[in-house]
Amino acid sequence: MSDIKEIKLVDVKNNSNIINNLNSIYKLWGYEEVSPSFINTLQTIKGRGVIDENQVVGIVSNNSLCLRPEMTTSIVKLSSTRLINKKRPIRLFTNGMVFDKKQNNKNSFKLQEKLQSGIELIGYDTKYPEIEVINILFDSIDNINLKDGCNLFLLVSTTKIMDLILNKYKNNNFEEIKKSLVNFDQDNLSKLGIDEDDKYILKDLLFTRGEPIAILKKLKTIYGTSKTLDDLNFLFETLSKISNKYGVKLQLDPTFQPHLNLYEGIVFQLIGDNGKNKSVIAKGGRYDELVRSFSPNEKIFNGIGFTISVDILRNLIKEEKTDKKRILLMFKDSYLLEKGMNEQKEQQKRGNIAVLHLNPCDDLAKANQIMKENNCSEILWVK
């Protein structure tokens, strides 16, 4: 079974406009475009533990290859091969399709292709590369004409908070506790053989989310002062200033973890909420260990980026109205064809959309029908 479908012309146009707008922002921040391969080796995906092999779309003719399930791994691999001698930090952006499959039932899979756009910042010698990447994410979306009422908030967490929460359980139901927290499973937490006071704290954490500085203060009352929480406090104080500038709310959720086993450190999702539906517009985070895996000789082991779902963003934008004229050029005699081509070029120089009907026509009713068929607003008769 496949979720691959034909895309409407208007959607193709909107996709192109979105990507052009995003690319223009990426370039202003000093990012360069790359085009990584659609094809990965299964060993690359499996060996780095990025995604479950069962969710990967394999290539039938070669069982060792698969279509890319995400773009970060391909780009990090690129940075360790063709871009190995490029001065760090590396700032890259890309656009393209990713592919995955989900199991419908025991014998059926649903294949999906998704259009994404995003950036990767690799090898930045700073403690907080998140500041640049999240700033670019906000700037990129701010450049898109979103529908009214599309309230944006950035859901943030970090694997370091999860490490802090789970530290005392390394030898006692560690994996079950982590699974229960990530899956919001109160029932499973209740069944675990751990102290009742601990169960109360863990259940409370499931409902602990909100303004980052307030949440960090609560975590300090539970786990005490730590360098991890102090560092996050500084980071979120900085990010709060950026988010306020763009009108994006920050929400810290200590138990939020991403679907892909790719990130280590900060993870985030940009979500649009119109009051009825919530849409995940973008996802991202740090993947320092992935950089280390591909490039063990790197001096700086950090990488962070995001991907924007163009398919989702397309449904959140306002319909753009163009002030360009769309003119149909017509002529009654075939000898006027060359003159019509010259007039078409003149109209295009003026910024008008000009469609030349290549066959002579002297029937006004038919001409009006052709004008409608070509979505033109007026006819210019070449004489």
Side-chain angles (χ1 to χ4, degrees), residues 109-352:
F109 290 92
K110 183 178 182 180
L111 306 182
Q112 294 179 311
E113 58 176 340
K114 303 171 184 177
L115 180 58
Q116 294 186 345
S117 175
I119 68 166
E120 310 295 345
L121 175 60
I122 301 171
Y124 199 147
D125 187 13
T126 181
K127 194 173 183 179
Y128 303 106
E130 296 88 352
I131 292 172
E132 176 170 315
V133 169
I134 291 176
N135 202 349
I136 296 172
L137 175 59
F138 291 164
D139 195 18
S140 299
I141 300 302
D142 191 57
N143 197 46
I144 302 294
N145 194 15
L146 294 179
K147 294 177 181 177
D148 296 333
C150 186
N151 301 307
L152 299 176
F153 68 92
L154 190 76
L155 178 65
V156 190
S157 189
T158 169
T159 56
K160 291 183 179 180
I161 289 181
M162 186 64 80
D163 292 341
L164 188 67
I165 295 170
L166 296 173
N167 184 56
K168 68 180 293 184
Y169 305 108
K170 286 183 178 179
N171 299 313
N172 184 15
N173 293 288
F174 178 90
E175 289 298 335
E176 281 299 313
I177 294 172
K178 181 178 181 179
K179 184 179 177 181
S180 298
L181 292 174
V182 172
N183 294 331
F184 202 82
D185 192 340
Q186 297 181 72
D187 291 338
N188 198 49
L189 281 175
S190 299
K191 298 174 184 176
L192 296 178
I194 59 176
D195 184 83
E196 290 299 318
D197 289 339
D198 285 353
K199 287 182 183 180
Y200 176 83
I201 291 172
L202 292 173
K203 288 181 180 180
D204 183 54
L205 287 175
L206 291 178
F207 297 92
T208 298
R209 59 178 64 87
E211 195 276 323
I213 302 302
I215 299 302
L216 290 174
K217 185 176 180 180
K218 178 175 180 177
L219 291 173
K220 284 182 180 180
T221 64
I222 300 172
Y223 299 104
T225 301
S226 71
K227 187 175 184 303
T228 293
L229 296 179
D230 287 341
D231 287 346
L232 288 171
N233 199 83
F234 174 83
L235 175 61
F236 284 118
E237 282 182 346
T238 306
L239 291 179
S240 293
K241 296 173 184 176
I242 299 171
S243 66
N244 289 338
K245 174 185 172 183
Y246 289 102
V248 179
K249 291 183 179 179
L250 289 183
Q251 185 177 81
L252 176 59
D253 182 348
T255 63
F256 164 67
Q257 295 288 287
H259 171 61
L260 293 180
N261 186 26
L262 178 67
Y263 301 110
E264 181 183 26
I266 288 291
V267 290
F268 54 85
Q269 291 184 348
L270 182 65
I271 299 170
D273 184 0
N274 64 5
K276 295 180 180 179
N277 299 301
K278 293 181 180 179
S279 305
V280 179
I281 297 170
K283 299 178 180 180
R286 286 188 66 156
Y287 45 82
D288 298 0
E289 197 56 42
L290 190 65
V291 175
R292 186 188 301 273
S293 177
F294 276 109
S295 304
N297 297 320
E298 284 276 8
K299 293 181 180 179
I300 302 169
F301 294 108
N302 70 36
I304 183 171
F306 64 74
T307 56
I308 294 173
S309 172
V310 176
D311 298 309
I312 289 176
L313 191 55
R314 186 182 66 237
N315 295 322
L316 300 177
I317 61 174
K318 290 181 180 178
E319 184 177 346
E320 292 191 8
K321 295 181 180 179
T322 178
D323 56 359
K324 288 185 178 181
K325 290 183 179 180
R326 187 177 176 94
I327 301 170
L328 177 66
L329 300 174
M330 301 198 74
F331 51 88
K332 295 181 179 180
D333 296 301
S334 57
Y335 73 88
L336 291 170
L337 173 58
E338 184 177 352
K339 190 173 181 180
M341 293 170 66
N342 293 334
E343 181 62 32
Q344 183 182 37
K345 184 58 65 179
E346 286 299 317
Q347 291 295 330
Q348 291 169 346
K349 287 179 180 178
R350 296 175 195 172
N352 295 325

Side-chain angles (χ1 to χ4, degrees), residues 54-111:
N54 293 325
Q55 294 176 293
V56 173
V57 181
I59 298 177
V60 176
S61 62
N62 190 328
N63 291 330
S64 67
L65 300 177
C66 65
L67 297 176
R68 62 188 182 198
E70 47 80 39
M71 292 194 283
T72 299
T73 303
S74 298
I75 294 175
V76 175
K77 183 179 179 182
L78 181 68
S79 74
S80 68
T81 52
R82 281 189 288 152
L83 301 179
I84 188 65
N85 294 320
K86 187 173 177 63
K87 184 174 174 58
R88 269 51 175 166
I90 300 178
R91 291 178 169 90
L92 304 172
F93 74 88
T94 191
N95 309 284
M97 291 291 183
V98 296
F99 307 84
D100 66 16
K101 68 178 181 182
K102 295 181 179 179
Q103 189 166 359
N104 285 340
N105 51 53
K106 292 183 179 180
N107 299 310
S108 175
F109 290 92
K110 183 178 182 180
L111 306 182

